[in-house]
């Protein structure tokens, strides 16, 4: 039982650490994600969302 709980905790911590690392490497990560999910395309040069 202890191994299952430890595994679950490690998976959750790993998930949030990977999201944090992505956000630090790309400060626009959340905006890019929101843009793509809404059907747009992210313009890296002007750093804004273009609707297609």
């Amino acid at each position: 039982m202890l191994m299952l709980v430890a595994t679950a905790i490690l998976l959750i911590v790993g998930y949030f650490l990977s999201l944090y690392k992505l956000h630090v490497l790309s400060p626009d990560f959340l905006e890019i994600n929101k843009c793509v999910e809404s059907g747009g395309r992210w313009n890296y040069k002007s750093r804004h969302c273009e609707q297609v």
Side-chain angles (χ1 to χ4, degrees):
M1 185 69 175
L2 179 65
M3 291 295 282
L4 289 175
V5 172
T7 302
I9 291 172
L10 286 175
L11 286 173
I12 293 169
V13 168
Y15 172 73
F16 283 108
L17 283 176
S18 65
L19 284 180
Y20 173 75
K21 191 168 192 166
L22 281 172
H23 185 67
V24 169
L25 292 176
S26 174
D28 297 324
F29 172 73
L30 295 176
E31 290 183 36
I32 294 170
N33 188 39
K34 185 170 65 170
C35 174
V36 171
E37 285 181 351
S38 69
R41 179 175 56 198
W42 184 257
N43 185 330
Y44 284 95
K45 289 183 182 179
S46 63
R47 296 177 72 188
H48 78 285
C49 186
E50 298 173 346
Q51 295 299 326
V52 263

